[in-house]
């Protein structure tokens, strides 16, 4: 154990819920160097958006992320609405805010459970996820699905809220608030939890600004950055809430921030259902969107989500670009891992609440020329032709199969 | 720094020994879908006018409307492709499509996932193949 | 001869231990689930897991030392079963005993940890190696306090034999109450030995996959898991004999039921700690054991010395 030991964490590892590769250089239990590699989850969503209509894109974009799906679909819808020059009805803006905050609650409760699991505290996982069911049931009731809600349409929302649902939400908020208070109490007294979280993944305010992290990761280091406040969208301009910050600078601080944001979310939801304006829930938007481009920002539970849409006057966008919050945060992970214990690795990665499939917008080609081996970069069409040729050499003919699938 | 102590959750976990568990033995104990959740589609062939807007808007091309002649239409829905977003229901001008809360749709045979709602021959509208 | 064979293979030996071990694993998992508001596994789950693993293929890594790889699980299982014969269960005497069997039992109980270390080391995978190192580091942290607290109890009884310890405490009822501190210490250290609860560092799933056992599969994994289950029973029986030595002179049937209850009580305490505490880091674990647990164990020795000079003549 004198030399540094190279240990691979990922692409498949129990600590990771999605594929990503971390290579840790260990000396004993200490991490000397860490490198992050993404790109295992590239799905080509941006390109696929260009081939579909705006209506279809809304559902595709929503599936970038399973947890913050409303964040992505709202950000996309906002960009398209801006290009089309549509004024969102007030009631629609309020319902979007409501669903967005319900989503934040479910995401933060989920994070708390995952964080518990990563530090070997499965009981916390079981309890928080049981509480999360309350908000999942409400989301299913209000929007129709537990995840990938499909509540947004271009120009508004697809489902209205009944007074009965409002009553149920108010009741659930009370129940959840009581539970959240218990978790805040737990986080402030449970010794083992504090020992595992505080002093781990330390990132000073200066580092946060240098590495450009967003969301709770940045707010835990005292950077009060929140799109809901800085550039209000939906109904946030009319709602009174605080940006929760903390100056612990470590994972304990990030836990406190997320718990505090839960309390703020309850507060926001109460204001939304109290001041829910009457009126239509959607306006009609033409299928063809005029040429133009727009950038839209949204404060997802994990941080700032950024969408860029370019329209060319047809039914499909010319270009869609997504910058998910994890992309902004992932650079800080390698920095936080260095000179820490191996045991802290899962929680440091989990603390930015990573979503690798959201982040994987491109494939990094490593070592393109190769060393000694024959490697070359081919384009899509020649790869396809190569595949057909290769298989026909093996005596396999796909023409019949292709016909069957109407290709 | 506040006073910290280990084992804060002891009272809560001991309490849960005397509570009914929150989990259920799902396939043996049936679970009810949440009111308002989206499941399998339903097609009313008598209302369909064959505009095929649903086909155009479907994000996964899961729905196919076919003219069986004489302005009668049948719909084929591939449950394996359907993402249960309900956009086709919104797009339909004549309310010929509806969403139900039937959610236990898994099949071992992929062929069974292709559900065809036949155009109405006599009176009964729905039949599976 | 036949009776000895029966004792070793069937009752209270091998077969009884397998059944009781798997049943205790079920109890542990069930109560863990109920603590967490879950339904938990059905009663036959550990048996089903065992049968399933036995039916599966053994995969031995190419780089691993196949001989050691196959040998260590058997080695570990044998040593824990052997240790069981020297522990007084529901009578004041064990099946076999001699002066000094306490030390033998403690060392036999160390062998599974050493086996885990060897298993991890000879698997030649990064996760196994890390798990092996952690097992050994942890061994040094918990072994001394465990030994000291049991030694404290033996000091009071003035013997090196477990059977004579139970005889002594049966003759002097009430004296076991002085060992309460030692009991708590040894339950905590037993959790370290069994790699449970906040001390599951050597097999921390989210860090090093399964630690030493990462490369194990099939029958060999089944043997290892059985060893850990039996080790839990044997460890709990040892603590029951040393620290909870009451009801041993009653009718054997009552004694037997009491024995089961005592073991289940210790398993419940371990499950409870496992439920409410987060996993420690290896440095925190070592710190904790040497800073708090070891001095407390020595305090127990001191208490018992004083008790011995004042009360017991």
């Amino acid at each position: 154990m004198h030399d540094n030991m190279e240990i691979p964490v990922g692409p498949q590892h129990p600590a990771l819920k999605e594929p990503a590769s971390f290579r840790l250089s260990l000396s004993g239990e200490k991490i000397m160097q860490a490198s992050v590699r993404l790109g295992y989850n590239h799905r080509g969503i941006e390109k696929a958006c260009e081939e579909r209509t705006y209506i279809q894109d809304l559902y595709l974009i929503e599936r970038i992320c399973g947890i913050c799906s409303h964040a992505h679909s709202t950000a996309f819808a906002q960009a398209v609405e801006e290009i089309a020059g549509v004024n969102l009805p007030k009631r629609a803006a309020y319902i979007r805010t409501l669903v967005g905050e319900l989503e934040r609650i479910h995401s933060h409760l989920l994070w708390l459970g995952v964080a518990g699991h990563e530090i070997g505290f499965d009981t916390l996982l079981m309890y928080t996820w049981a509480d999360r069911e309350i908000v999942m049931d409400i989301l299913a009731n209000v929007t129709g699905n537990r995840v990938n809600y499909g509540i947004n349409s271009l120009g508004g929302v697809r489902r209205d809220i009944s007074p009965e649902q409002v009553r149920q939400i108010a009741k659930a908020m009370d129940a959840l608030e009581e539970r959240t208070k218990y978790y805040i109490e737990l986080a402030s007294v449970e010794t083992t939890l504090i020992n595992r979280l505080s002093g781990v993944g330390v990132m000073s305010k200066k580092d946060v600004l240098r590495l450009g992290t967003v969301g709770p990761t940045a707010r835990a280091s005292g950077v009060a950055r929140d799109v809901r406040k800085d550039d209000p969208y939906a109904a946030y301009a009319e709602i009174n809430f605080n940006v929760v910050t903390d100056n612990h600078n470590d994972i304990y601080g990030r836990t406190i921030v997320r718990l505090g944001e839960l309390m703020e979310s309850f507060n926001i939801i109460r204001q939304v259902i109290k001041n829910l304006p009457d009126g239509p829930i959607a306006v009609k938007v033409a299928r063809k969107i005029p040429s133009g481009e727009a950038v839209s920002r949204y404060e997802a539970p994990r941080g700032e989500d950024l969408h860029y849409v370019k329209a060319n006057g047809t039914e499909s966008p010319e270009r869609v670009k997504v910058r998910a919050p994890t992309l902004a945060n992932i650079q800080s992970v390698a920095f936080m891992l260095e000179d820490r214990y191996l045991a802290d690795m899962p929680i440091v990665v989990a603390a930015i609440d990573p979503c690798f499939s959201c982040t994987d917008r491109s494939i990094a080609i490593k070592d393109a020329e190769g060393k000694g081996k024959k490697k070359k970069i081919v384009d899509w069409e020649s790869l396809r032709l190569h595949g057909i040729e290769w298989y026909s050499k093996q005596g396999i003919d796909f023409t019949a199969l292709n016909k069957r699938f109407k290709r | 720094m506040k006073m910290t102590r280990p084992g804060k959750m002891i009272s809560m976990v001991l309490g849960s020994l005397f509570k009914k568990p929150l989990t259920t033995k799902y396939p043996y104990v049936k679970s009810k879908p949440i009111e308002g959740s989206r499941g399998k589609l339903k097609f009313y062939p008598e209302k369909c006018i064959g505009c095929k807007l649903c086909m155009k808007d479907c994000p996964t091309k899961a729905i196919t409307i076919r003219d069986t002649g004489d302005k009668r239409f049948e719909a084929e829905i591939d449950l394996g492709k359907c993402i249960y977003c309900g956009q086709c229901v919104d797009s339909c001008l004549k309310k010929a499509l509806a969403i139900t809360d039937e959610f236990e749709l898994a099949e071992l045979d992929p062929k069974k996932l292709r559900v065809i709602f036949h155009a109405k021959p006599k009176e009964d509208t729905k039949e599976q193949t | 001869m036949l009776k000895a064979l029966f004792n070793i293979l069937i009752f209270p030996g091998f077969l009884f231990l397998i059944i009781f071990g798997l049943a205790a694993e079920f109890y542990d998992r069930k109560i863990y689930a109920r603590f967490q508001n879950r339904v938990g596994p059905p009663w036959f789950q550990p048996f089903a897991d065992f049968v399933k693993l036995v039916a599966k293929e053994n995969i031995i890594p190419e780089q691993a030392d196949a001989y050691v790889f196959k040998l260590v699980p058997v080695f570990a299982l044998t040593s824990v079963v052997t240790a069981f014969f020297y522990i007084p269960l529901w009578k004041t005497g064990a099946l076999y005993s001699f002066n000094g069997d306490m030390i033998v039992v403690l060392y036999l109980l160390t062998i599974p940890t050493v086996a885990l270390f060897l298993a991890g080391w000879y698997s030649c995978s990064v996760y196994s190696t890390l798990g092996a190192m952690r097992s050994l580091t942890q061994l040094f942290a918990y072994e001394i306090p465990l030994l000291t607290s049991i030694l404290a109890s033996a000091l009071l009884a003035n013997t090196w034999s477990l059977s004579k310890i139970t005889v002594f405490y049966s003759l002097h009822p009430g004296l076991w109450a002085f060992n309460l501190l030692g009991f708590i210490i040894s339950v905590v250290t037993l959790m370290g030995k069994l790699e449970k609860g906040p001390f599951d560092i050597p097999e921390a799933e989210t860090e090093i996959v399964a630690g030493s056992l990462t490369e194990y599969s099939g029958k060999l994994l089944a043997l290892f898991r059985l060893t850990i289950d039996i080790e839990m029973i044997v460890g709990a029986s040892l603590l029951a004999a040393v620290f909870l030595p009451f009801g041993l002179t009653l009718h054997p049937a009552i004694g037997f039921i009491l024995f089961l209850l005592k073991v289940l009580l210790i398993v419940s305490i371990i499950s409870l700690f496992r439920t409410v505490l987060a996993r420690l880091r290896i440095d925190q674990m070592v710190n904790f054991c040497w800073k708090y647990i070891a001095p407390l164990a020595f305090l127990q020795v001191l208490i018992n010395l004083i008790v011995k000079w004042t009360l017991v003549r």
Side-chain angles (χ1 to χ4, degrees), chain C residues 13 51 55 60 268:
Chain C
V51 170
I60 299 172
S268 312

Side-chain angles (χ1 to χ4, degrees), chain A residues 338-402:
Chain A
E338 264 158 46
D339 213 27
R340 291 300 319 173
Y341 286 97
L342 169 67
D344 294 333
M345 185 260 155
I347 184 70
V348 168
V349 175
I352 64 162
D353 204 356
C355 179
F356 297 121
S357 62
C358 311
T359 305
D360 281 357
R361 297 271 80 77
S362 61
I363 305 171
I365 298 168
K366 219 177 158 186
D367 207 11
E369 299 304 317
K371 281 181 205 132
K373 282 183 191 167
K374 258 197 243 165
K375 281 184 189 171
K376 62 174 183 179
I377 299 173
V378 292
D379 63 21
W380 179 244
E381 193 52 35
S382 51
L383 184 70
R384 203 174 78 86
L385 291 174
H386 174 76
I388 293 170
E389 196 187 326
W390 193 84
Y391 278 108
S392 61
K393 260 187 214 161
Q394 316 276 317
I396 302 167
D397 191 12
F398 282 123
T399 33
L401 203 67
N402 282 346

Side-chain angles (χ1 to χ4, degrees), chain C residues 102 106 109 144-156 159 162 165 169 179 182 186 235 238-239 242-243 297 300-301 304:
Chain C
M102 187 183 88
L106 281 170
L109 280 180
I144 307 280
L146 179 63
L147 185 80
T148 317
S149 58
I150 290 177
L151 195 70
S153 177
L155 256 176
L156 195 55
T159 172
L162 286 170
I165 291 179
Y169 284 105
N179 288 329
S186 43
L238 175 69
L239 300 197
V242 175
F243 295 105
Q300 176 69 61
V301 172
N304 282 16

Side-chain angles (χ1 to χ4, degrees), chain A residues 55-56 59 63 127 130 137 141 143-145 149-150 158-159 179 182 185-186 188-191 287 315, chain B residues 2 4-9 12 16 34-38 53 56-59 83-87 90:
Chain A
I55 293 174
Q56 291 170 334
Y59 299 103
R63 279 156 180 81
Y127 277 86
D137 285 353
N141 181 250
T143 68
N145 282 347
Y149 319 111
R158 287 171 58 201
R159 277 199 187 187
R179 295 296 303 163
Y182 178 78
E185 167 82 13
L186 179 73
S188 64
V189 299
E190 172 63 48
T191 316
R287 281 170 182 270
E315 286 188 11
Chain B
K2 257 199 272 181
T4 66
R5 65 190 168 84
K8 159 79 183 159
M9 285 187 96
M12 176 155 286
S16 64
I34 303 280
E35 196 189 330
S37 59
R38 301 193 192 103
L53 267 178
K56 186 177 157 58
D57 280 347
C58 179
I83 55 172
Y84 308 100
C85 62
Q87 176 62 43
D90 285 12

Side-chain angles (χ1 to χ4, degrees), chain A residues 259-324:
Chain A
L259 284 168
E261 278 182 16
L262 279 177
M263 299 301 278
E264 281 302 318
S265 286
F266 303 142
N267 171 22
I268 293 171
I269 287 175
R270 288 204 183 102
Q271 290 182 42
V272 166
I273 54 180
K274 198 175 145 206
N275 306 325
L276 201 60
D278 291 328
I281 55 162
V283 288
K284 245 192 147 26
V285 177
R287 281 170 182 270
K288 283 187 177 152
I289 305 290
S291 330
E293 52 186 343
V295 168
S296 125
R297 302 204 286 167
Y298 184 101
E299 184 70 21
R302 299 167 156 82
E304 182 194 24
D305 182 21
L306 196 138
H307 281 232
Y308 166 79
V309 179
K310 187 174 181 188
N312 56 5
T314 60
E315 286 188 11
S316 310
E318 187 166 306
R319 179 82 176 93
V320 177
K321 168 77 195 150
V322 178
R323 205 286 327 259

